[in-house]
Every structure is written in structure tokens, then in C-alpha cells.
Amino acid sequence: MTLYLWFVFFLAVQVIHFLGTWKLYESAGRKRWEAAIPVYNAIVLMKIIGRPTWWTLLLFIPIINLIMFPVVWVETIRSFGKKSFLDTLLVIGTLGFYIFYINYTQPLNYEADRHLSPDHKAQDTISSLLFAVIVATIVHTYLIQPYTIPTSSLEKSLLVGDFLFVSKMNYGARVPMTTVAMPMVHDTIPLTKQKSYLNWPQLPYFRLPGIQTINRTDIVVFNWPADTVFKFRDRSGLRVDKPIDKKSNYVKRCVGIPGDSLSIKDGLVYINGKELYLGDRAKPQFSYNVAIDGKTPIDFEYLLKDMDVTDGAGFINESRDTLFISALTAAGADRLKNVPGIKSVNRIISKNIEDGIFPHINKWNRDNFGPIYIPQKGKKVALNLETLPFYKTIITDYEKKDLKVNGNEIRIDGKVATTYTFDQNYYWMMGDNRHNSEDSRYWGFVPENHIVGKPIFIWMSWDTNGKGLNKIRWDRVFTTVNGEGQPQSYFKYFLIALAAFFVGEYFWKKRKAKKEL
């Protein structure tokens, strides 16, 4: 929905509210017109039902308002003596329109001094749960979201089984675009595999101010732009057309920001002609072929385990003279070179043209790519048949323009176009595990409105290959994701602080008990 349609919808809601409640306002000692003034009518209604004024704000927060509207409906009819279970069921089941029936057909006895505490334990429990869900949803949507690392694309920096806290505040919290959805779940209802949202209506994209911009080498959580296709690399043309904020969550490293010229040479990323330095914590991995002399015994199982090789390895021929390692760091490769019996360690570099590489012009491969311009908001680029493949998805899918090509002529929204000006910023995201990562090399740019947040903290790390307590990677518990130097666990400091809290609480209660005696 456009802003204009949302404005019309908002006015329609105000008219419906006025028609259904003006007699209730008068019965409560207020003026009839107070039910007609947008926002002010909600503030007045909070006074009528005896609830705090700040509840009004919750009525305008997407997703939260889905919980608050039924609460306010119930509180409204109870303020006029309708407290039975049937009344509650009717007002919720009719989406609040039961209030119309009360407003026009029932005697209105306003209870100004209504008892607001729950009448029984079940009601108290429901109220507590609703409050907990509201608070958790606000935190989840606007402050911090938990996230689990599902793949090895950032292996050695973030491991499969790492449980993260992702900050929404660093880059600015994105206001939900999907307005009707279950709180605190993504695109699927747990256990049911059913869609957890409605595609309509949609709010326009809006992001709250952040405390920083996305920098090169930042690890970023974002909605996978290509999640509109039926499945990855599918050529059938089928689409699922998920809303932006319900597309699958991905986590990669940002290697290119708006305005950059990016290229990849023999697997190394270059920005504006200079090799990109990734920092101390990033450990890029590549595939290697290891040549063996076949005479010296080597315990590869122990060696690979000791080097923490996680993506698998195997001999590529029956003579067992060449070992293929799918993901290995440069430090691991240097170590192998010094192992007796190993003749050479060669990094695999793609030389041939590869199918499926963005922008699908059959020119590049995963290790040799570009240069390519990363679009910046407000910047203009030349548009012709040669440059169109780079920006076609941006124009049609991300910025929703009508694009038509007739011979050498390109038309956007019906007008002949020889240039294009971008409506938003774009980013280039890649995994550190360069030969085992589905990233921008395959599906292109990440739009700014797809950015979710910045991982800041690992609160738990679970090794699926471990046993017993060894499943927990204790050295990764309570570690930061970003920063210089090697990660350091703050778990012991957390335990010390927790112990100090309980000891302090014990002596405080003991001292308080003595004073009371």
C-alpha cells in the first residue's frame, strides 16, 4: 500500500471508530466530537477505560497493535458493564464491531471506578502473558533479535551452531513492513510449516536512525534478496514473492559499500583498485589440492581434525596422491607445506567462465570477477543493453519500476531511458568460506531496505559433533563478534558477577530481617 492508501485507510478507521463509540464517549462524560479526532480520541479512550495514556503509542506500532486492539476492545466493553465470557468472545470474534451493537442498542452504564485488577487467576495469567509478549516483541523488533548460524559460509569467524544476538539499533531498526503477522516468529509458524503472515497490507519502508553506517568488513544480517525465486538457481520462472521483511535471513560479511568499485582477482577482493583488508578475526578459506609423495605415512584424520577442518576432504583419485580440502585457511595451508610427505599445497583458483555468476553474462567466475559498480542512492549510471544486466533486478524488483526493452530502446515507466538514478543504497555481501558460500557473486546486490542488523554477541555456541558437555564451545560463550584481536570469552566474568549478585542479595535480605526484628 502507498502512503496515500494508508492515509485513506487511517481516516476510514477513524470514521468507523466515531460511528461505533460516540455514545460511549458521551455516557462516560466526554464530548461526542472527542471520538472523531484522530489520535486524541485514543488518548481520551484510555482515560475512559482507566488505562495509561502511553498505551496509545502501542496502538500505532505494527504487530504490537494486533495484540493491543483486542485488549482495548475488551477493556472498553467492560467499562460499560459487559464482563461475561460471551461478551469477550463476541467483541474479539467480530473484530470490535460488537461495540457498535452495544453503542446503539444497549443501556450504557459507565463504571468510572471499575476494578482494574484481574478477577481470577486465569485472567491474571493471560494479562501477564500478553504483557510479556508485547515487551518481547518490541525488543525483538526494535532492539535485539536472536539468530542462529546455520551454514559454514563464515566459518572460523562465525561457526555453525553459534547463537547470536543481532542488534537492530546499530544500523537503525527497520519498522515492520508486514503489518499482519505472528509476533516473534519469522515466515513460518513453528511445528506447522504454515505461513505466519499475510502479504497484505504492507507498510512503506522506513528505518529509525542508527548509531552507525555499514562499514566494509562488517558482518551483517539481511533478508536474502533472491528469496523471490521458487528455489535457488531455479530457471522455471516461478516466484513466491515474499514481503521483504519475511524473506530468509542471511548473514555474510559486507565487502563493498555504496559507491565502491569491486573486483575479485584470484579469489581476493579489491575495492577501488586496492586489496581489501578483512581484519584480525576474519579467516578467509579456499579449496586446496594437496600433492602427496605416497612414501611417507601421514595421519590425515588427526591432522585435519587438529587444524579444525570442518568442510570435508577426500582423495580425488584411486592412486591417493592428491587430497582435496574444500575449505582451508592460509595458515592451515602453510602448516601443511611443512608436513613431511606433502610435496605441494595448491590453492584452487577458478579460471573458466562459470554459469550462474551475477549478472549472468557468461563472462566471469567465483574467483575472477568484475570490476562492478555498487549502486549509491542518488547516483546516476549510463543505461544501455550492455549495462542493463547489472541493474535490471534493481529497477524491476527492488525499486518497482516498469521496464521494457524493444530492440536497443529501453523504457522505464513508459519513458525512454539512457541513464538511471538509484532510489536507495546497495551492498555487496560475501562469505569468508569463498568456495562454499551462496552470496552476492551469485545473486548480486543487497538493497538497503533488506538490512536486518549487526551481530554483536555470541551467547552460546553448540558443536553438533561434540559429546556431552563438549558440545558446548566454552571458549566462544559470551564472546563479541566484532573488534580487533582474537575473540575473548566473558563467560567467567558473567559467572562472577552473577555469584556476587546472589551473595549480595542474601546478605541484604539477612540485614533487612535483623532490622525488622
Side-chain angles (χ1 to χ4, degrees):
M1 288 176 65
T2 63
L3 284 174
Y4 172 75
L5 290 177
W6 272 109
F7 179 70
V8 172
F9 175 75
F10 177 73
L11 290 181
V13 170
Q14 302 306 311
V15 171
I16 292 171
H17 176 79
F18 172 74
L19 294 176
T21 61
W22 64 270
K23 288 183 69 177
L24 301 182
Y25 277 69
E26 287 186 335
S27 178
R30 309 296 302 202
K31 301 296 183 181
R32 178 183 303 186
W33 60 265
E34 290 182 298
I37 307 300
V39 183
Y40 176 71
N41 54 13
I43 294 173
V44 172
L45 183 60
M46 294 307 129
K47 296 181 182 298
I48 291 173
I49 66 177
R51 295 301 180 179
T53 304
W54 58 264
W55 273 30
T56 304
L57 179 63
L58 301 180
L59 296 175
F60 294 92
I61 300 178
I63 308 301
I64 300 297
N65 53 16
L66 298 180
I67 304 170
M68 289 303 302
F69 278 126
V71 171
V72 171
W73 296 336
V74 172
E75 291 291 313
T76 299
I77 64 172
R78 286 181 177 173
S79 295
F80 292 88
K82 304 298 181 180
K83 301 178 182 179
S84 71
F85 175 76
L86 180 60
D87 289 319
T88 301
L89 194 63
L90 285 171
V91 76
I92 295 176
T94 61
L95 301 180
F97 282 95
Y98 180 57
I99 297 175
F100 270 75
Y101 171 77
I102 296 173
N103 187 66
Y104 289 106
T105 68
Q106 301 296 300
L108 301 177
N109 300 310
Y110 174 60
E111 299 181 10
D113 299 320
R114 180 170 64 96
H115 181 61
L116 297 178
S117 300
D119 295 329
H120 46 78
K121 190 174 182 180
Q123 192 179 73
D124 183 48
T125 301
I126 293 173
S127 298
S128 299
L129 285 174
L130 284 174
F131 179 76
V133 169
I134 289 171
V135 172
T137 302
I138 291 174
V139 171
H140 183 275
T141 305
Y142 295 97
L143 301 177
I144 292 178
Q145 174 184 343
Y147 184 83
T148 306
I149 297 297
T151 69
S152 62
S153 66
L154 285 169
E155 192 74 19
K156 302 297 179 280
S157 295
L158 294 177
L159 308 182
V160 175
D162 280 350
F163 292 82
L164 308 175
F165 282 138
V166 175
S167 168
K168 303 291 186 71
M169 299 176 290
N170 283 63
Y171 304 137
R174 183 181 59 185
V175 175
M177 289 168 270
T178 304
T179 58
V180 182
M182 285 191 66
M184 293 186 299
V185 299
H186 190 50
D187 60 342
T188 306
I189 301 173
L191 303 178
T192 68
K193 296 184 179 180
Q194 298 297 312
K195 194 170 71 170
S196 64
Y197 62 91
L198 297 181
N199 288 61
W200 189 90
Q202 289 281 309
L203 278 173
Y205 166 70
F206 178 74
R207 188 179 295 275
L208 299 176
I211 59 178
Q212 69 170 106
T213 57
I214 298 177
N215 299 313
R216 296 187 199 96
T217 75
D218 277 0
I219 294 176
V220 180
V221 174
F222 56 93
N223 298 115
W224 179 32
D227 206 15
T228 54
V229 297
F230 179 62
K231 58 183 178 180
F232 188 64
R233 294 179 182 168
D234 179 62
R235 297 290 184 265
S236 67
L238 296 175
R239 300 172 65 91
V240 291
D241 288 324
K242 292 182 180 178
I244 291 172
D245 54 346
K246 294 302 177 182
K247 294 180 180 181
S248 299
N249 286 329
Y250 265 36
V251 58
K252 305 288 180 187
R253 190 182 299 278
C254 177
V255 296
I257 60 175
D260 281 347
S261 174
L262 177 143
S263 59
I264 304 173
K265 302 175 184 177
D266 292 340
L268 303 179
V269 176
Y270 288 79
I271 299 295
N272 303 324
K274 296 181 180 180
E275 184 179 345
L276 176 65
Y277 172 68
L278 295 176
D280 297 333
R281 297 195 183 188
K283 295 178 176 63
Q285 296 188 99
F286 297 89
S287 300
Y288 285 83
N289 281 330
V290 181
I292 305 163
D293 64 14
K295 301 175 183 178
T296 308
I298 304 173
D299 187 349
F300 279 110
E301 184 178 353
Y302 168 79
L303 187 60
L304 296 178
K305 185 176 181 180
D306 190 56
M307 291 194 304
D308 194 30
V309 173
T310 54
D311 272 22
F315 291 99
I316 64 175
N317 49 33
E318 293 183 0
S319 60
R320 298 171 68 87
D321 60 1
T322 304
L323 178 72
F324 170 76
I325 302 178
S326 59
L328 188 66
T329 62
D334 290 339
R335 178 177 173 182
L336 284 179
K337 292 175 182 177
N338 296 317
V339 173
I342 292 180
K343 294 191 297 184
S344 63
V345 180
N346 302 305
R347 180 157 64 90
I348 297 174
I349 300 174
S350 300
K351 297 295 185 182
N352 298 324
I353 293 172
E354 295 180 17
D355 184 35
I357 297 295
F358 180 83
H360 313 294
I361 56 177
N362 295 321
K363 187 176 179 180
W364 299 324
N365 59 52
R366 62 184 177 178
D367 291 327
N368 288 281
F369 181 96
I372 189 171
Y373 172 72
I374 302 174
Q376 185 176 11
K377 181 179 180 180
K379 295 295 183 180
K380 184 185 295 184
V381 294
L383 198 61
N384 50 52
L385 295 184
E386 186 177 348
T387 62
L388 183 60
F390 294 89
Y391 311 121
K392 182 179 179 181
T393 301
I394 288 178
I395 296 169
T396 58
D397 287 0
Y398 305 152
E399 301 191 357
K400 304 299 181 184
K401 304 290 197 306
D402 178 47
L403 173 69
K404 286 184 172 58
V405 180
N406 184 14
N408 293 327
E409 185 182 77
I410 299 173
R411 286 182 175 268
I412 297 177
D413 292 338
K415 299 178 181 178
V416 175
T418 57
T419 62
Y420 185 76
T421 303
F422 300 104
D423 292 343
Q424 61 178 317
N425 289 320
Y426 292 83
Y427 300 86
W428 195 263
M429 306 291 185
M430 289 175 60
D432 293 349
N433 196 344
R434 294 296 163 75
H435 290 166
N436 187 16
S437 174
E438 296 175 358
D439 52 37
S440 287
R441 291 172 294 176
Y442 299 95
W443 33 257
F445 309 107
V446 175
E448 185 174 47
N449 62 7
H450 284 56
I451 300 299
V452 174
K454 181 176 183 177
I456 55 173
F457 197 68
I458 301 171
W459 62 272
M460 173 61 77
S461 186
W462 189 259
D463 185 359
T464 56
N465 297 318
K467 296 180 179 180
L469 290 177
N470 290 329
K471 280 184 174 288
I472 300 176
R473 302 183 184 105
W474 295 102
D475 61 326
R476 296 185 65 80
V477 175
F478 279 57
T479 61
T480 56
V481 174
N482 302 285
E484 297 296 326
Q486 296 306 308
Q488 179 183 355
S489 174
Y490 294 91
F491 186 55
K492 61 181 179 182
Y493 301 109
F494 168 74
L495 293 178
I496 292 171
L498 194 64
F501 170 78
F502 284 117
V503 170
E505 186 182 40
Y506 169 77
F507 283 108
W508 181 79
K509 287 182 177 179
K510 194 172 181 181
R511 183 179 179 184
K512 184 179 179 181
K514 284 183 178 180
K515 285 183 176 180
E516 291 177 353
L517 292 175

